[in-house]
């Protein structure tokens, strides 16, 4: 398994940008497809973005398409989520996750992810 730690969350005004990072330790991150999920107050955790092991394939939730970009730097064992044009609706705890061993293709299903970070709070004010 891989251990994940998110960072970079904070308070941002609507329309602003923020980049959250996820640092991995343990198993080499390049072995896993990676994803970002979020949980807003009073709501269930939802898929945000995912990227395959090589970074050549990505998927995004409709709510963030065109605004968010997921990327990875396997050499640094880090995955990123660049968030632009932030909206108050984006306020949530953002979690990164590593897909279960053997799931190397891009996936949007939470059950396919076996390792999760602690989350980082992103708050967007209007």
């Amino acid at each position: 398994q891989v251990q994940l730690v998110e960072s970079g969350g904070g308070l941002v005004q609507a329309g602003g940008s923020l980049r959250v990072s996820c640092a991995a330790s343990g198993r080499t991150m390049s072995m896993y497809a990676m994803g970002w999920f979020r949980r807003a107050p009073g709501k269930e955790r939802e898929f945000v973005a995912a990227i395959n092991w090589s970074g050549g394939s990505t998927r995004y939730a409709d709510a963030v398409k065109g605004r968010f970009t997921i990327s990875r730097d396997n050499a640094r064992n880090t995955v990123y989520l660049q968030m632009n044009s932030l909206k108050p609706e984006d306020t949530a705890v953002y979690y990164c996750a590593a897909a279960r061993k053997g799931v190397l293709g891009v996936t949007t299903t939470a059950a396919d992810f076996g390792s999760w970070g602690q989350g980082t709070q992103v708050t967007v004010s209007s």
Side-chain angles (χ1 to χ4, degrees):
Q1 293 296 139
V2 60
Q3 292 74 52
L4 306 172
V5 179
E6 302 95 334
S7 63
L11 176 63
V12 184
Q13 185 174 318
S17 298
L18 194 66
R19 187 178 75 165
V20 291
S21 301
C22 177
S25 62
R27 295 293 189 92
T28 303
M29 192 191 74
S30 62
M31 297 176 63
Y32 306 94
M34 301 291 294
W36 285 96
F37 292 76
R38 67 186 183 186
R39 177 170 286 168
K43 297 184 178 180
E44 296 183 3
R45 185 174 297 185
E46 65 177 352
F47 167 77
V48 176
I51 189 167
N52 75 337
W53 70 272
S54 68
S57 181
T58 58
R59 297 275 294 279
Y60 297 93
D62 288 342
V64 306
K65 284 183 179 178
R67 300 188 298 118
F68 290 12
T69 302
I70 186 172
S71 62
R72 65 191 300 162
D73 185 342
N74 289 338
R76 299 186 66 85
N77 281 328
T78 304
V79 62
Y80 306 95
L81 184 68
Q82 178 67 46
M83 301 178 287
N84 298 326
S85 301
L86 283 162
K87 305 175 181 179
E89 306 92 89
D90 296 318
T91 295
V93 176
Y94 283 72
Y95 301 88
C96 68
R100 299 181 184 277
K101 186 177 181 180
V103 182
L104 299 181
V106 63
T107 178
T108 65
T109 303
D112 286 334
F113 294 86
S115 299
W116 296 80
Q118 83 288 350
T120 186
Q121 176 70 49
V122 173
T123 302
V124 184
S125 62
S126 59

